Amino acid sequence: MIHLPPCDTDIFYGDYVNWPTFRDMFSALYKNNLRLSPVEKLYYLLQKTKGEAHNIIRTCPLTNDGFALAWQNLEDRFENKRVLINAQLKILFNISAVIRETGPNLKNLQRTINDCITNLSLLNVNTDSWHLKNKDRVYEYGFCVLYIFINNSF
């Protein structure tokens, strides 16, 4: 039998960028867990939220009916596709210019770009046309954005 390390979700503070990860992890570990009663799920939800996210659900009664209300309140606030897309674009367009072209700096820049593009794709944003044509070569979006950031010190 394989023994896996315990899996848990991070605290959710109400950041739109972190909502999809929190939603999916909390659902997998708690919300969809048939062994937990709704009031237990609400207890865990209260433990796993802080700040704005916690304020949205803290007034829900700690009862079996309270969990559905609390989860719906979070979904109503954070399941906003336009805001989720905007949050990814904000990260993408606010990336700091690379001052020194070192391996770690370029890897970090590329990772940030790829993460944003992946997250936008998961939100059904078509990024297929995000490419750069240069003479006879076509560069895909990741290289295009990397090229722009390296060659333009904003």
Side-chain angles (χ1 to χ4, degrees), residues 66-84:
F67 175 72
L69 177 63
W71 191 256
Q72 187 62 52
N73 288 348
L74 288 176
E75 285 184 330
D76 289 346
R77 173 67 62 89
F78 298 106
E79 282 292 329
N80 184 327
K81 186 175 177 180
R82 183 185 56 77
V83 174
L84 292 170

Side-chain angles (χ1 to χ4, degrees), residues 88-102:
Q88 290 301 319
L89 291 174
K90 187 175 181 180
I91 292 169
L92 186 61
F93 294 122
N94 287 314
I95 296 174
S96 300
V98 173
I99 305 301
R100 292 186 55 218
E101 294 181 29
T102 63

Side-chain angles (χ1 to χ4, degrees), residues 111-127:
R111 186 178 320 110
T112 302
I113 293 166
N114 286 341
D115 289 348
C116 288
I117 299 299
T118 298
N119 289 331
L120 288 168
S121 295
L122 291 172
L123 291 165
N124 297 318
V125 174
N126 185 351
T127 59

Side-chain angles (χ1 to χ4, degrees), residues 17 23 27 31 37 46-47 54 58 66 76 79 85 88-89 92 95 97 103 114-117 122-123 128 134 150:
V17 173
R23 176 200 59 214
S27 293
K31 185 174 181 269
S37 68
L46 289 165
Q47 297 301 308
H54 188 79
R58 69 184 166 100
D76 289 346
E79 282 292 329
I85 291 170
Q88 290 301 319
L89 291 174
L92 186 61
I95 296 174
N114 286 341
D115 289 348
C116 288
I117 299 299
L122 291 172
L123 291 165
D128 292 341
N134 186 359
I150 290 174

